[in-house]
Amino acid sequence: MWRATMRFTCLAAIVALSDWTAPTEARTILSTPKAPLSGFQSSVPPATLSSSSLLNDAILELRGGASRGKMPKKKGRMGSLHSNSSNLSATGKTKVKGNKGSEQKSAVSDTMQKYKSILPLTRVYITMVGIVTLIGVVLGDEAAQGLLALDPMRVMYGLELWRPFTAATFLGPPSVGWLMSGYYLFEYGSNLESAYGTAQHVLFLLCQIVLLSLLSVLFGQPFFGASVITAMLHVLSRSMPDQKVKWLIFTVPYWSLPLGLMATDVLQAGSPAAALPHVMGILTGHVYFFHKFVWPKMGGEDWLTAPDFLVRRLDPNSRLAMEAKAANNALKKSRKKGSGRKLGR
């Protein structure tokens, strides 16, 4: 502290001595605020002209600040925020910059993986629903009905054989009801296919398309996609009728779920005519369930069994299991009881 005091005292003495020894003209020039005339050459020494600046610098240095010539420019707060906000997070840490292209690519790849993880026949059905819906959006309602609706005359005489399949896959224009129907199709179709196999599910869908085509011609229904979904649900509900399931906010037995779905559509449409597709689906689904599961238990023949070539093609694992089971049963039957001696003889 005493060194800084001595330094300041020496600097103040030098400045006072230079001001006292300076000529009168120089002091007059320093005191006037006007700019010097052009061509005027000052005879004032350089030390005299910079005496005030030396004093100010000395005071700043003694106080701990920087000199005026070396003071850095301060940046405004707004400028610092704009320059650093893109690199810093809310906590002040540096942001981890991700690649937008890689994020989009990963999202697409995840979607494709989920799509490929769907069971094969259900995936084909959902894909057909998407294609038929896109055709309906592009062509419009009238043109779509003229191309996709079930028309028995065009099917028989015009050989437009795609109409029963498009009638089974068209669920209407995109809407909330369309999304719910697509979800039901995925949920019930996946459960049915995983329970009975892909080959048997093919046979189930073919039976439903044939029976629902006949009923649609009889009742004048151009599309029966909702009836196929109700038939799937009916077969599942009859397989485990007493199981408790959630419907809206209620817990109901599984056998009543097709009726609840029918009641929901009737309430949304505000007309009893909305129950007709569900009634058709319940009838055709019960025909399949009776001849597949009830009639063989009564001694009848199970004529709704999937052909061997479909099982070999679509369900190779289940085919191997069936062959192993059949071979095991045949081996047990071929064993003969030995003529052993009874104990105690």
Side-chain angles (χ1 to χ4, degrees):
M1 183 66 185
W2 65 271
R3 290 181 181 179
T5 306
M6 291 298 294
R7 188 175 181 183
F8 176 77
T9 305
C10 292
L11 289 173
I14 291 170
V15 172
L17 182 60
S18 62
D19 288 340
W20 180 75
T21 56
T24 307
E25 293 85 355
R27 289 198 295 268
T28 306
I29 293 171
L30 289 173
S31 61
T32 55
K34 294 182 180 180
L37 297 174
S38 60
F40 175 77
Q41 296 181 357
S42 174
S43 60
V44 182
T48 305
L49 293 173
S50 59
S51 60
S52 60
S53 61
L54 287 173
L55 181 60
N56 293 332
D57 292 341
I59 293 171
L60 290 173
E61 186 176 0
L62 178 63
R63 194 175 57 186
S67 61
R68 288 181 299 177
K70 298 181 180 179
M71 290 178 65
K73 295 181 179 180
K74 295 183 179 179
K75 294 182 179 180
R77 292 185 178 180
M78 295 301 294
S80 63
L81 287 175
H82 285 296
S83 60
N84 297 329
S85 60
S86 59
N87 297 326
L88 299 179
S89 63
T91 59
K93 296 182 180 181
T94 305
K95 291 181 180 180
V96 180
K97 295 183 179 180
N99 192 355
K100 294 183 179 180
S102 63
E103 292 178 358
Q104 293 178 356
K105 186 176 180 181
S106 63
V108 173
S109 62
D110 291 343
T111 304
M112 291 303 298
Q113 287 179 359
K114 291 179 181 179
Y115 173 75
K116 292 179 180 179
S117 64
I118 303 174
L119 294 176
L121 192 57
T122 305
R123 183 172 65 244
V124 171
Y125 203 129
I126 292 175
T127 304
M128 290 182 64
V129 169
I131 293 173
V132 171
T133 303
L134 183 61
I135 293 174
V137 171
V138 172
L139 297 181
D141 293 338
E142 295 182 0
Q145 288 187 2
L147 180 64
L148 305 175
L150 179 64
D151 190 343
M153 296 301 174
R154 291 187 178 183
V155 173
M156 290 186 295
Y157 298 105
L159 295 180
E160 297 180 0
L161 302 180
W162 68 84
R163 290 184 177 274
F165 299 97
T166 55
T169 54
F170 185 72
L171 300 177
S175 61
V176 177
W178 181 86
L179 287 176
M180 295 301 296
S181 298
Y183 172 75
Y184 293 148
L185 176 62
F186 164 74
E187 186 71 20
Y188 304 143
S190 299
N191 293 336
L192 201 61
E193 186 174 358
S194 62
Y196 302 113
T198 303
Q200 189 64 37
H201 195 48
V202 169
L203 190 61
F204 166 78
L205 289 178
L206 289 177
C207 290
Q208 296 305 309
I209 289 174
V210 172
L211 293 176
L212 287 172
S213 296
L214 296 176
L215 289 179
S216 297
V217 172
L218 182 62
F219 291 104
Q221 296 292 315
F223 301 103
F224 50 85
S227 302
V228 176
I229 296 173
T230 307
M232 292 179 182
L233 180 57
H234 179 75
V235 173
L236 288 172
S237 65
R238 296 306 301 174
S239 301
M240 35 190 165
D242 296 329
Q243 182 179 353
K244 301 297 182 180
V245 294
K246 280 284 187 180
W247 178 66
L248 299 179
I249 58 175
F250 307 103
T251 301
V252 296
Y254 207 170
W255 64 266
S256 64
L257 200 57
L259 302 177
L261 185 62
M262 179 178 63
T264 303
D265 284 353
V266 170
L267 292 176
Q268 288 181 352
S271 173
L276 181 59
H278 299 282
V279 172
M280 292 167 53
I282 291 173
L283 290 176
T284 57
H286 191 72
V287 168
Y288 174 84
F289 180 81
F290 178 81
H291 287 89
K292 176 63 182 174
F293 300 103
V294 178
W295 181 247
K297 294 180 180 180
M298 297 173 62
E301 184 181 357
D302 183 11
W303 57 276
L304 289 177
T305 303
D308 291 339
F309 71 93
L310 275 180
V311 176
R312 287 193 299 266
R313 177 65 178 173
L314 301 177
D315 295 319
N317 296 329
S318 63
R319 180 65 181 178
L320 292 175
M322 290 173 59
E323 291 178 355
K325 185 177 180 180
N328 191 16
N329 293 333
L331 184 62
K332 289 181 180 179
K333 291 180 180 179
S334 63
R335 291 177 180 174
K336 295 181 179 180
K337 296 182 180 180
S339 57
R341 294 181 180 179
K342 294 183 180 180
L343 296 176
R345 288 185 181 181

